[in-house]
Amino acid sequence: MKRILTAEDDKEINRLICDYLSSQGYETLSAMNGLDAVRMVRDENDLSLLILDLMLPFQSGDMVLQKIRAFSDIPVIVVSAKSDTRSKIDLIKTGADDYITKPFDLDELLVRVEAVLRRYEGNNSRSQENQKLQFKNLTLDLTSGIASVCGKNMTLTVKEFSILELMLKNPHKLWSKANIFESVWGENYLSDDNTVKVHMSNIRSKLKKLDSDTEYIETVWGMGYRLIN
């Protein structure tokens, strides 16, 4: 049974989310503040997903996300009353996998939970043993879902891993933002959506941090992205 942690300080909202997800077959846990959320992600075994409210006592959701991403690639769905694009982009940069705005419908939350879990499982559960993709000093282990650069593990979100997997499987292809978005997110691309740009910036930053001497991805202005062969 998949285990989902809800970090939300409003007791009634926390209870409603947990009760609803429990009714859908998930095991649920609750954290009422940011410190407990970080501790439980670190200490609890086999957590499948974190639903994270931004306005938490003791430690904000933004800080919780930053701390968790230092040691875990657990999928994170952020819940917030903020609906502006800038907030969403900042959270994606920090490592959120999805974002839902309050107030929300519990059925919508369930759809997002199931979609994020499917993507995560797709990255981490492969039928072939020891299936790996290699490009320069970057290795993607499709069996374990682990990315490494120069032998050092690289912490990626679910979507960042999926983007790299897509590109490494097609190393000579030029990818438009629409191609990447529709392949990874499985949704129609909107021309003013900066999601892919933000994810690419994150990926490049992480690659540069571990391998500053090697260029992996280039931007072809007005067209998209491709690996530098």
Side-chain angles (χ1 to χ4, degrees):
M1 180 182 293
K2 294 181 177 65
R3 308 175 76 226
I4 298 177
L5 171 63
T6 297
E8 164 65 67
D9 66 316
D10 186 306
K11 292 182 180 179
E12 181 63 15
I13 294 176
N14 198 317
R15 184 190 63 79
L16 285 172
I17 292 173
C18 289
D19 286 352
Y20 181 75
L21 293 177
S22 294
S23 74
Q24 301 301 313
Y26 295 99
E27 181 182 343
T28 60
L29 300 87
S30 296
M32 303 303 294
N33 62 70
L35 293 176
D36 283 346
V38 174
R39 176 185 57 78
M40 292 176 74
V41 171
R42 179 181 286 113
D43 296 344
E44 290 289 338
N45 293 323
D46 302 324
L47 280 179
S48 302
L49 177 75
L50 169 63
I51 298 172
L52 177 65
D53 183 61
L54 288 186
M55 302 299 290
L56 292 173
F58 305 144
Q59 202 162 84
S60 69
D62 308 70
M63 184 59 67
V64 170
L65 185 57
Q66 290 180 33
K67 289 194 172 184
I68 286 173
R69 281 293 172 252
F71 64 85
S72 174
D73 64 351
I74 183 175
V76 177
I77 297 176
V78 168
V79 177
S80 174
K82 297 180 181 179
S83 59
D84 60 288
T85 301
R86 182 72 259 166
S87 295
K88 294 179 181 180
I89 289 173
D90 289 343
L91 287 163
I92 289 170
K93 285 182 177 179
T94 307
D97 294 284
D98 203 352
Y99 185 107
I100 187 168
T101 304
K102 290 181 176 178
F104 55 86
D105 184 87
L106 288 172
D107 289 336
E108 179 188 359
L109 177 63
L110 178 63
V111 169
R112 291 174 182 267
V113 166
E114 291 175 340
V116 169
L117 288 174
R118 278 197 303 271
R119 288 194 294 266
Y120 187 78
E121 289 166 357
N123 290 338
N124 290 280
S125 300
R126 306 290 171 170
S127 58
Q128 298 182 27
E129 293 185 1
N130 300 321
Q131 186 180 3
K132 294 183 179 181
L133 297 173
Q134 182 79 40
F135 179 72
K136 295 185 178 179
N137 298 320
L138 168 65
T139 301
L140 296 185
D141 188 326
L142 304 184
T143 303
S144 65
I146 294 174
S148 59
V149 179
C150 299
K152 295 170 284 190
N153 284 354
M154 180 180 178
T155 301
L156 296 172
T157 67
V158 175
K159 292 189 183 72
E160 289 167 359
F161 190 100
S162 295
I163 290 171
L164 284 175
E165 179 182 353
L166 187 70
M167 297 186 77
L168 266 61
K169 284 182 174 178
N170 304 271
H172 302 292
K173 181 178 173 64
L174 173 61
W175 294 91
S176 69
K177 288 191 288 186
N179 290 155
I180 294 171
F181 187 88
E182 291 174 2
S183 296
V184 172
W185 277 262
E187 302 174 9
N188 292 330
Y189 176 74
L190 302 176
S191 59
D192 60 347
D193 195 316
N194 286 320
T195 302
V196 172
K197 182 179 179 180
V198 170
H199 279 74
M200 279 297 184
S201 176
N202 288 347
I203 290 170
R204 283 169 158 164
S205 176
K206 292 176 181 181
L207 287 167
K208 180 65 69 175
K209 185 176 181 180
L210 295 176
D211 188 8
S212 59
D213 297 327
T214 307
E215 296 293 331
Y216 290 87
I217 300 171
E218 67 176 341
T219 300
V220 182
W221 296 108
M223 298 180 70
Y225 305 92
R226 66 185 173 198
L227 297 176
I228 301 174
N229 290 286

